[in-house]
Amino acid sequence: QQQVKQSPQSLIVQKGGISIINCAYENTAFDYFPWYQQFPGKGPALLIAIRPDVSEKKEGRFTISFNKSAKQFSLHIMDSQPGDSATYFCAASSASKIIFGSGTRLSIRP
Amino acid sequence: DSGVTQTPKHLITATGQRVTLRCSPRSGDLSVYWYQQSLDQGLQFLIQYYNGEERAKGNILERFSAQQFPDLHSELNLSSLELGDSALYFCASSVIATDGEQFFGPGTRLTVL
């Protein structure tokens, strides 16, 4: 009940395309869902986050879609650029803990 | 720059040895988290401290221990090191006790030979 399942494990997208990463959770107590971006040799950095009272949040080219009934959320990267190549982690947190997904290695081909 | 500092950046040691990793959280953050990231692996939560007290424990081995000092910096102690302990160790901090908005340091790369 504590897992956050993330897919795919790796993803290759052409420049200008849409990158989509999916996550699913089980514990309905989670109330904050952040996405972290990690470049090689660096620590993860918060990219965008959503709370379950909204179904979508957009910041620039990055959008989180949230489906509370299905307990799923996804990250969409529009107009993907080579600079977006990184590992992306979803997470789910509550008052007592945060659980990270296993990560998706995204490569944007020029 | 997240404002979280970690030292050292790299550490090479031998099996059976003991090392200490240090973390200084962002100014004003009371909560410190430690994570282990092995090659091509996700983030494994080890332990969390809040304002000097242990708050949550994850998959931390008994050979590992941590503490948070009155000035809020934290140290992760790894003892009886094994080859499998080679990994990136990240510290993160947040303002409140449990916050999904964590700020990560640059990490310490530990190599056990």
Side-chain angles (χ1 to χ4, degrees):
Chain A
Q1 200 180 15
Q2 299 298 330
Q3 277 191 314
V4 175
K5 296 181 180 179
Q6 183 172 346
S7 63
Q9 192 172 30
S10 62
L11 181 62
I12 300 173
V13 175
Q14 289 295 123
K15 178 183 175 183
I18 302 173
S19 303
I20 302 174
I21 305 171
N22 301 298
C23 283
Y25 63 99
E26 298 170 350
N27 190 340
T28 56
F30 291 135
D31 60 4
Y32 183 74
F33 301 87
W35 285 89
Y36 285 82
Q37 180 188 55
Q38 184 181 25
F39 293 105
K42 304 291 186 182
L46 181 64
L47 184 63
I48 186 173
I50 196 168
R51 295 198 182 275
D53 53 346
V54 297
S55 60
E56 186 175 280
K57 183 173 182 180
K58 184 175 181 179
E59 290 184 1
R61 297 184 294 108
F62 300 90
T63 300
I64 300 178
S65 296
F66 188 84
N67 186 329
K68 188 174 181 178
S69 61
K71 291 186 283 187
Q72 296 175 347
F73 59 110
S74 60
L75 175 68
H76 292 64
I77 306 175
M78 312 299 288
D79 186 26
S80 299
Q81 299 297 312
D84 297 330
S85 296
T87 298
Y88 293 81
F89 293 95
C90 64
S93 74
S94 67
S96 58
K97 63 176 59 188
I98 180 168
I99 308 291
F100 283 86
S102 55
T104 296
R105 179 172 288 182
L106 174 64
S107 296
I108 307 300
R109 293 290 170 81
Chain B
D1 185 0
S2 67
V4 177
T5 60
Q6 289 186 248
T7 57
K9 191 172 177 63
H10 301 280
L11 197 50
I12 301 175
T13 188
T15 55
Q17 296 297 304
R18 172 189 169 96
V19 297
T20 298
L21 313 184
R22 182 187 169 101
C23 168
S24 292
R26 288 191 322 157
S27 177
D29 285 0
L30 299 178
S31 199
V32 170
Y33 310 78
W34 285 99
Y35 295 90
Q36 180 191 57
Q37 186 175 44
S38 301
L39 189 64
D40 290 335
Q41 295 295 311
L43 291 161
Q44 300 296 318
F45 168 67
L46 296 178
I47 197 165
Q48 179 202 357
Y49 280 80
Y50 177 72
N51 204 20
E53 300 290 328
E54 180 184 307
R55 193 178 187 283
K57 237 176 183 177
N59 300 322
I60 188 166
L61 300 172
E62 286 192 9
R63 301 184 286 108
F64 296 0
S65 64
Q67 54 184 328
Q68 186 179 28
F69 295 87
D71 67 352
L72 300 178
H73 91 272
S74 178
E75 293 181 356
L76 178 67
N77 300 295
L78 315 176
S79 62
S80 302
L81 285 168
E82 302 175 359
L83 296 177
D85 297 327
S86 295
L88 266 170
Y89 291 85
F90 287 105
C91 164
S93 72
S94 65
V95 175
I96 60 177
T98 310
D99 197 338
E101 185 175 358
Q102 298 181 15
F103 295 85
F104 283 78
T108 293
R109 181 172 293 280
L110 173 67
T111 302
V112 182
L113 300 176

